[in-house]
Amino acid sequence: MSKGAHSKGGFQRKEVKEFEETVLEIARVTRVVKGGRKLRFRATVCIGNKKNKVGLGIGKSNEVTGAIQKAISKAKKDMITVTLDGTTIPHDIHIKYKASKIYLMPAAPGTGIKAGGTVRKVLDLAGVKDILSKAFGTTNKICNARATILALKKMTTTPGMARQAKVLAAKKEAQAKIVAAPVSKPAAPAHKPAAPAAHKPAAKTVAPAAKPQEKSTKSA
């Protein structure tokens, strides 16, 4: 039997993470110092809750694990809230960040995430389910990821979304008034009226039928 779920202290439940983490890239980087070259690892991590919150962080360390932990802590500090229109983005946007050019366009429900590589991972963690995209220029993962974050950060509410929000708010207020209104019960009468006496119909008297008179027969 596996002992993963049990320990010496007893049964331990797994902690539910608030954000999902995705490692976009792990690269070896060197820095020239006085004594020669110093080798380190650079980790690029994207985190999100798939409910319109996403963040990107980069960390460096002598070990891969340390670099990932640093990147996660930086991503949590730089979290952004994305404005979504249902399962897609409110409007299209064309963003340029350094050598990266990203074009995002809203899509109908059921389309899915039409994106590749780094852009797809960032959009998925942000909670976008239906979108069309195109990446131009460089294929650098850090540039594309930051360009996608910048595009999502610039999303604004459209007039159609504002009208829909007003309609939903009005419906909620109407429902709340209906629920909060007290139910009026009919007031009980002070005294109960006496029940009317049952009226019995008078018995009909039937007169006896008259006997036919006998005719006297006289003898001739």
Side-chain angles (χ1 to χ4, degrees):
M1 296 178 63
S2 60
K3 299 181 180 180
H6 297 271
S7 62
K8 294 181 180 179
F11 183 80
Q12 292 182 351
R13 293 182 178 180
K14 292 184 178 180
E15 295 182 0
V16 180
K17 292 185 177 180
E18 183 180 1
F19 301 104
E20 294 187 17
E21 307 159 2
T22 301
V23 179
L24 302 179
E25 183 187 32
I26 295 177
R28 292 188 301 173
V29 294
T30 56
R31 186 177 65 176
V32 179
V33 294
K34 186 177 181 180
R37 293 182 177 180
K38 188 176 181 181
L39 176 66
R40 292 196 301 172
F41 294 95
R42 181 189 66 198
T44 306
V45 179
C46 183
I47 65 173
N49 61 352
K50 294 188 176 182
K51 295 178 182 178
N52 78 352
K53 281 192 176 183
V54 66
L56 181 69
I58 299 174
K60 295 179 182 179
S61 178
N62 296 331
E63 297 180 357
V64 177
T65 307
I68 293 175
Q69 293 300 325
K70 287 183 179 180
I72 292 173
S73 61
K74 288 183 179 180
K76 288 182 178 179
K77 293 178 182 179
D78 298 334
M79 295 288 291
I80 65 170
T81 302
V82 185
T83 303
L84 298 178
D85 185 6
T87 59
T88 186
I89 56 178
H91 53 83
D92 58 341
I93 187 170
H94 194 184
I95 201 77
K96 183 180 184 301
Y97 176 80
K98 294 186 178 180
S100 176
K101 298 177 182 179
I102 302 293
Y103 179 64
L104 303 179
M105 187 169 60
T111 304
I113 301 177
K114 302 298 182 182
T118 309
V119 181
R120 182 185 184 88
K121 294 179 180 179
V122 175
L123 293 174
D124 183 31
L125 290 174
V128 182
K129 296 181 180 179
D130 304 301
I131 193 171
L132 302 174
S133 69
K134 181 66 178 177
F136 304 94
T138 182
T139 58
N140 185 277
K141 294 183 178 180
I142 296 177
C143 287
N144 287 337
R146 283 183 171 172
T148 308
I149 292 289
L150 185 60
L152 294 175
K153 191 176 181 179
K154 290 188 176 183
M155 291 294 164
T156 57
T157 305
T158 59
M161 293 173 60
R163 288 193 298 268
Q164 188 176 4
K166 288 182 180 179
V167 173
L168 292 176
K171 288 183 179 179
K172 287 183 179 179
E173 288 182 2
Q175 292 178 356
K177 289 181 180 179
I178 293 172
V179 173
V183 180
S184 59
K185 295 181 179 179
H191 63 279
K192 293 183 179 180
H199 178 70
K200 295 182 179 180
K204 293 182 179 181
T205 57
V206 180
K211 295 181 179 181
Q213 295 179 359
E214 296 179 358
K215 291 181 179 182
S216 60
T217 56
K218 292 181 179 182
S219 59

